[in-house]
Amino acid sequence: MAKVKSIYCCNNCGAESPKWIGRCPVCGEWNTYVEQVVAAKPTHTRDGLQPPTGAKSKPLRIDEIASASEPRVDMGDAELNRVLGGGLVRGSLVLIGGEPGIGKSTLILQTVLSLNDCKTLYVSGEESARQLKLRAARIGDDNPDCYIVCETSLENIMTHVQNVKPDLLVVDSIQTIATETLESSAGSVAQVRECAAVLLRFAKESGTPVLLVGHINKEGSIAGPKVLEHIVDTVLQFEGDRHYMYRILRSIKNRFGSTAELGIYEMRQNGLRQVSNPSELLLSHDHDGLSGVAIAVAIEGIRPFLIETQALVSSAAYGTPQRSATGFDLRRMNMLLAVLEKRVGFKLGQKDVFLNIAGGIRVNDPAMDLAVISAVLSSNMDMSIEQGTCMTGEVGLSGEIRSVTRIEQRITEAEKLGFSRILIPSHNVSGMNLSKLSIEVIEVHKVEEAFRLLFG
Ligand code: TYD
Ligand code: MG
């Protein structure tokens, strides 16, 4: 195949060069040159305007455009369907990103094996067909509609696609495939971008949905899915701590649905299991009498769940006190500790504080604040919080408990899980009918008040 002309462009200042250079002579930055394809035909005339093309497109008034709902493919997996916004849209390009080894290939293989009447072509650039078969055997599923090919050349992949004519194309992973038209190696920015552009064109022209797998490393590598985010329609991120069993599928960008969605899975010996009631996993039931544990009612996506917050406060063994938080923003924890120091009068300045959110899950809901504060207080005083108590509320800088969103949903979830009392912000109480509830709802205005309620 004829080589497409390519140039090297500085990522920092945009300077161009026919060859790769280590240090940009214009801006002086190191290692910023990336390969780019030069368009074959000049699309601009000399005065910089597009030549007239015989007006194929025509501007339409927005009320004239027919609003057809997007036809969607049911993925047979309630969590995945929800994160995608109700199924996979035909002709869409979906990127599933995540650290290596988190379970992306397992999730996709498991999903395509369970699809009915959907011919799938699974292109793997990382594993051999035998390895994939072994994995399928481990998951315990088989599907005659699923075709596997191990290929890393984009041109060959497109030939296979024309022969198989799949209803769904999976490419695992985008960093391993390369087009022959570029000299740079697979996984470089130019290759990733070019291959994704070809697959995007294929998806839009044929109406076939395409799932791409992309690795990200801890630094969010530039040759990773970051360069793809604006090209694809949907970006899903598969995350979780490899040492824990839980995996979270988060939607980061979705042109066909909400990005507030979250899917929770559990990694088992025989594949991933959907977790439809996360609270069951995130609560351990034997913390009676233990200090430093508080149960928070948080909302991620549309689902409320109860989650255990643990804190350990101890005198600093070394000169500088240590502060560490797992699953919670460290700066926010420091802010909450400062509020405690100022409002409740606890001297935490010379103490080590460790905070841990159970299950290795990262929660961003500000309504966690009250539980974090309560867990710290409980550990500091070595007094346990009465069992059956949960709480929700954001803490402001002056120690006030601020209202949270969707309070009814939170209370109902706590009630459903058998909790006997819930602490909520007093601003949330107005206009609520509390008489029907079997759970005791206690309103709190301030951190001091919560402290008195919990520890007498
Ligand atoms: P994998 O899907 O290969 O990760 P990725 O494609 O994101 O790199 O999954 C990797 C891990 O999952 C691997 O360490 C083994 C584990 N695993 C299970 O625990 N149970 C299973 O059934 C399977 C298939 C994998
Ligand atoms: Mg993989």
Side-chain angles (χ1 to χ4, degrees):
M1 186 181 269
K3 286 260 181 278
V4 173
K5 192 163 172 264
S6 63
I7 55 161
Y8 290 82
C9 221
C10 174
N11 258 344
N12 190 42
C13 68
E16 291 176 1
S17 150
K19 283 202 317 269
W20 187 83
I21 333 176
R23 182 168 188 251
C24 177
V26 180
C27 65
E29 285 295 314
W30 287 93
N31 210 10
T32 50
Y33 273 74
V34 292
E35 191 179 13
Q36 272 178 6
V37 184
V38 180
K41 274 183 276 166
T43 50
H44 295 264
T45 51
R46 242 195 2 225
D47 54 2
L49 288 172
Q50 291 273 340
T53 52
K56 277 193 203 125
S57 57
K58 182 170 146 258
L60 286 175
R61 272 190 9 221
I62 192 157
D63 57 343
E64 289 171 356
I65 302 170
S67 63
S69 64
E70 303 282 348
R72 290 177 187 256
V73 184
D74 179 6
M75 300 302 278
D77 176 331
E79 303 285 304
L80 187 57
N81 274 343
R82 207 189 35 245
V83 176
L84 284 168
L88 190 59
V89 173
R90 288 196 195 283
S92 67
L93 188 62
V94 178
L95 174 71
I96 301 191
E99 285 170 29
I102 208 79
K104 302 176 294 297
S105 308
T106 308
L107 174 70
I108 295 189
L109 189 66
Q110 185 176 333
T111 309
V112 299
L113 286 178
S114 66
L115 287 179
N116 295 323
D117 297 325
C118 179
K119 203 200 252 183
T120 314
L121 179 61
Y122 188 108
V123 181
S124 177
E126 299 190 340
E127 287 161 294
S128 69
R130 286 267 311 276
Q131 276 175 310
L132 282 165
K133 177 71 188 172
L134 275 176
R135 190 193 292 259
R138 193 168 170 189
I139 296 168
D141 224 339
D142 228 340
N143 190 341
D145 279 337
C146 183
Y147 292 77
I148 305 273
V149 61
C150 299
E151 186 55 76
T152 53
S153 148
L154 183 70
E155 284 72 23
N156 292 351
I157 291 171
M158 296 324 284
T159 319
H160 291 310
V161 167
Q162 270 157 25
N163 296 339
V164 176
K165 298 204 174 46
D167 300 318
L168 170 66
L169 175 65
V170 176
V171 178
D172 184 1
S173 65
I174 185 77
Q175 274 102 345
T176 54
I177 64 169
T179 165
E180 288 155 21
T181 55
L182 286 177
E183 276 167 22
S184 47
S185 57
S188 65
V189 177
Q191 284 285 7
V192 165
R193 210 184 274 159
E194 190 60 22
C195 293
V198 171
L199 290 167
L200 177 71
R201 215 173 310 131
F202 162 73
K204 299 294 166 205
E205 280 167 9
S206 67
T208 312
V210 179
L211 285 180
L212 297 179
V213 172
H215 293 292
I216 40 172
N217 54 23
K218 285 259 186 284
E219 297 89 49
S221 151
I222 50 159
K226 286 280 167 219
V227 298
L228 290 177
E229 267 173 25
H230 61 281
I231 303 180
V232 301
D233 295 311
T234 304
V235 182
L236 305 182
Q237 186 150 320
F238 207 37
E239 54 191 50
D241 197 319
R242 235 186 299 173
H243 305 295
Y244 290 94
M245 291 298 106
Y246 318 117
R247 301 285 183 271
I248 294 182
L249 188 66
R250 223 182 262 278
S251 156
I252 293 180
K253 163 183 173 178
N254 195 350
R255 289 190 179 142
F256 310 106
S258 147
T259 51
E261 286 307 344
L262 198 75
I264 302 184
Y265 293 88
E266 185 188 4
M267 181 62 97
R268 296 202 160 184
Q269 282 305 313
N270 53 353
L272 290 156
R273 184 183 73 95
Q274 302 172 38
V275 176
S276 39
N277 183 4
S279 306
E280 273 173 21
L281 286 176
L282 302 175
L283 288 179
S284 65
H285 294 283
D286 50 358
H287 49 73
D288 194 15
L290 295 183
S291 65
V293 178
I295 312 291
V297 191
I299 289 190
E300 279 282 319
I302 54 162
R303 281 189 305 182
F305 54 82
L306 282 93
I307 190 164
E308 207 175 288
T309 312
Q310 300 175 328
L312 178 67
V313 180
S314 66
S315 298
Y318 305 104
T320 342
Q322 295 184 60
R323 299 283 153 92
S324 133
T326 314
F328 194 78
D329 185 12
L330 185 61
R331 269 178 302 177
R332 184 139 193 112
M333 181 179 90
N334 283 333
M335 184 278 269
L336 293 174
L337 293 180
V339 170
L340 274 186
E341 183 130 13
K342 186 100 180 163
R343 301 291 155 194
V344 194
F346 275 111
K347 294 279 165 274
L348 293 163
Q350 286 309 310
K351 305 263 177 127
D352 286 342
V353 181
F354 304 98
L355 183 75
N356 185 24
I357 309 291
I361 280 185
R362 194 172 180 86
V363 190
N364 297 321
D365 189 353
M368 293 284 295
D369 290 357
L370 188 55
V372 169
I373 281 203
S374 306
V376 169
L377 285 176
S378 162
S379 176
N380 193 40
M381 310 205 337
D382 202 15
M383 281 173 77
S384 65
I385 295 173
E386 198 182 311
Q387 223 183 358
T389 304
C390 59
M391 57 207 74
T392 189
E394 183 183 343
V395 174
L397 285 180
S398 50
E400 81 279 20
I401 313 283
R402 308 171 63 119
S403 54
V404 296
T405 54
R406 288 185 280 169
I407 189 73
E408 285 90 355
Q409 245 180 309
R410 296 177 198 253
I411 297 177
T412 321
E413 180 73 11
E415 193 179 18
K416 210 166 72 191
L417 286 162
F419 279 81
S420 52
R421 48 178 204 160
I422 179 169
L423 270 60
I424 67 165
S426 52
H427 293 293
N428 275 119
V429 177
S430 58
M432 256 171 54
N433 183 5
L434 302 174
S435 56
K436 288 200 304 286
L437 297 168
S438 64
I439 186 170
E440 186 191 353
V441 176
I442 304 169
E443 49 179 301
V444 279
H445 293 84
K446 289 204 154 100
V447 174
E448 299 95 296
E449 209 179 316
F451 170 63
R452 257 179 281 119
L453 273 165
L454 291 170
F455 306 106

